[in-house]
Amino acid sequence: MLVCASSSAAESAASALPRSGYSYLSEETRRLQDDDFANPGMLWVQKGEELWTQSTGPAAQSCQSCHGQARDSMRTVATRYPLYSPPLGRVINLEQQINRCRVSRLNSSALAYESEDLLALTAFISHQAKGLPVNVSVDGPAAASFARGRAFFYRRRGQLNLACANCHERYAGFRLHGETISQGQINGFPIYRELWQTMGSTHRMFVWCNEAVRAEPYPLGSQEYVDLELFERWRGRGLPIETPAVRR
Amino acid sequence: MIMHPMENGFNFDSQGTTIPVHIITDFVCAYDGAEVVRVQLQPGLSANPYFSFYLTATRSGPVDFKWTDQDGTVTTNSAQLQVT
């Protein structure tokens, strides 16, 4: 009887509607995110806006040279990434697309993953899609990547032997010490994390989470994390983009 | 809000060495040439400090912000306040 009850609870947790990390925050932190003047993440958005128009490479071109006003051209972009790239033959995320553009179109250098500049550009572009629902494509050529991401999410790992799903699906909404466990949705990334006192990408969060269960993390920008990112976005499909979100 | 790490001198990097103190020590705001706010900052403040204060807008003029790092680096920013 007890087993039966717990398994049905697990099922209901798994089929629960996506819920943004925002709804688990304290009122004070929500207010910080909602006020564009107080939200520290806006510093990176502002920096990204400068980088958008800043010329780079031998041809002295900027993002704006090709894409024009980000307000229009980048309006829906963040809702679709990670996205399958036909020339590369694999799924890539927004950070990697920015770097691909910089290298192949601007003949400039790729920005280091998690560098201030890449975070700023990612935050700026994602911010254009604020309020729009996450809508990634997981069929066709992206299906294999999606399947790998799903497997990652449900595979136990680390010395604590925990899968992402153990906390963020089965026990979302429950307490862990002083914290409420969220669903682990990534609709607000890159986020300003109070713990880090700075901006962080999805992959930095994955590394942090992996280390928290004492597992060896994968490198930032690795295909494993891009696959997981794709699955995570699909899991939170329909949630509004919140970039730059503020989280604990 | 100022983008600044505000290192307090008590943190360690991945090699275990102390990260030196790196903070803003002074923040001054002047409205139309007259000083209206002056703040002295200490290492206890978190990164990216945010100041919020009231200012009675009586006339048009520049609002100048100036902050000084402990090593003497001065950063300035300005905005024009228009009273109609």
Side-chain angles (χ1 to χ4, degrees):
Chain A
M1 193 57 205
L2 203 76
V3 175
C4 189
S6 71
S7 78
S8 72
E11 259 167 46
S12 67
S15 60
L17 285 169
R19 197 176 144 188
S20 168
Y22 181 84
S23 64
Y24 296 97
L25 294 176
S26 68
E27 203 196 320
E28 290 80 5
T29 316
R30 284 189 208 183
R31 235 184 288 142
L32 194 62
Q33 174 174 325
D34 291 338
D35 183 354
D36 277 356
F37 287 103
N39 185 340
M42 288 306 286
L43 288 168
W44 278 262
V45 171
Q46 213 170 42
K47 195 173 172 194
E49 190 172 6
E50 286 163 24
L51 289 168
W52 178 264
T53 53
Q54 198 179 84
S55 302
T56 179
Q61 298 256 298
S62 69
C63 307
Q64 188 162 289
S65 311
C66 297
H67 294 290
Q69 288 293 327
R71 190 181 327 116
D72 310 318
S73 62
M74 296 291 126
R75 179 74 179 121
T76 62
V77 170
T79 63
R80 297 194 299 271
Y81 276 85
L83 184 70
Y84 181 78
S85 160
L88 290 179
R90 58 185 169 88
V91 171
I92 59 171
N93 65 10
L94 189 55
E95 281 91 340
Q96 291 166 331
Q97 179 58 47
I98 292 168
N99 268 337
R100 232 176 74 75
C101 252
R102 281 180 63 90
V103 173
S104 64
R105 308 275 180 212
L106 301 176
N107 291 315
S108 184
S109 57
L111 298 167
Y113 214 96
E114 212 60 26
S115 62
E116 292 286 293
D117 284 359
L118 189 56
L119 281 171
L121 270 172
T122 314
F124 172 66
I125 293 170
S126 302
H127 182 63
Q128 306 308 312
K130 191 170 178 176
L132 297 181
V134 172
N135 182 23
V136 289
S137 162
V138 295
D139 45 11
S145 186
F146 177 68
R148 285 197 302 273
R150 180 194 285 265
F152 191 108
F153 190 82
Y154 288 100
R155 192 181 303 128
R156 287 176 182 270
R157 63 190 68 247
Q159 288 180 323
L160 298 187
N161 199 30
L162 288 169
C164 311
N166 289 136
C167 291
H168 294 296
E169 195 169 277
R170 174 70 180 83
Y171 285 108
F174 286 69
R175 307 284 294 181
L176 177 67
H177 305 303
E179 304 268 8
T180 306
I181 304 171
S182 76
Q183 285 186 354
Q185 298 290 356
I186 58 170
N187 54 313
F189 278 77
I191 55 165
Y192 186 88
R193 195 162 184 227
E194 289 170 337
L195 176 70
W196 296 332
Q197 299 211 351
T198 187
M199 209 74 174
S201 70
T202 322
H203 290 197
R204 179 170 179 187
M205 194 69 223
F206 289 162
V207 167
W208 188 91
C209 254
N210 276 176
E211 283 174 345
V213 300
R214 298 181 201 158
E216 185 71 36
Y218 289 89
L220 299 166
S222 60
Q223 196 60 41
E224 283 85 355
Y225 280 166
V226 175
D227 295 342
L228 179 60
E229 196 179 338
L230 178 66
F231 173 73
E232 276 276 84
R233 288 264 169 183
W234 171 85
R235 209 173 139 249
R237 60 198 179 283
L239 286 178
I241 302 267
E242 285 176 23
T243 313
V246 178
R247 296 288 184 265
R248 293 183 308 259
Chain B
M1 185 158 41
I2 305 169
M3 198 177 199
H4 199 284
M6 293 295 281
E7 271 301 338
N8 59 17
F10 294 104
N11 291 323
F12 301 97
D13 64 13
S14 57
Q15 302 303 309
T17 42
T18 314
I19 304 170
V21 182
H22 180 206
I23 60 163
I24 301 167
T25 52
D26 288 284
F27 170 81
V28 182
C29 174
Y31 171 39
D32 203 19
E35 185 176 308
V36 285
V37 171
R38 175 178 286 271
V39 184
Q40 271 192 345
L41 292 88
Q42 301 290 333
L45 222 63
S46 58
N48 311 312
Y50 174 60
F51 303 99
S52 158
F53 49 86
Y54 290 100
L55 185 67
T56 315
T58 47
R59 58 196 181 277
S60 297
V63 183
D64 298 307
F65 307 92
K66 187 176 92 171
W67 58 95
T68 316
D69 277 28
Q70 55 171 24
D71 58 6
T73 314
V74 177
T75 318
T76 54
N77 214 329
S78 187
Q80 184 66 28
L81 190 70
Q82 207 66 44
V83 179
T84 50

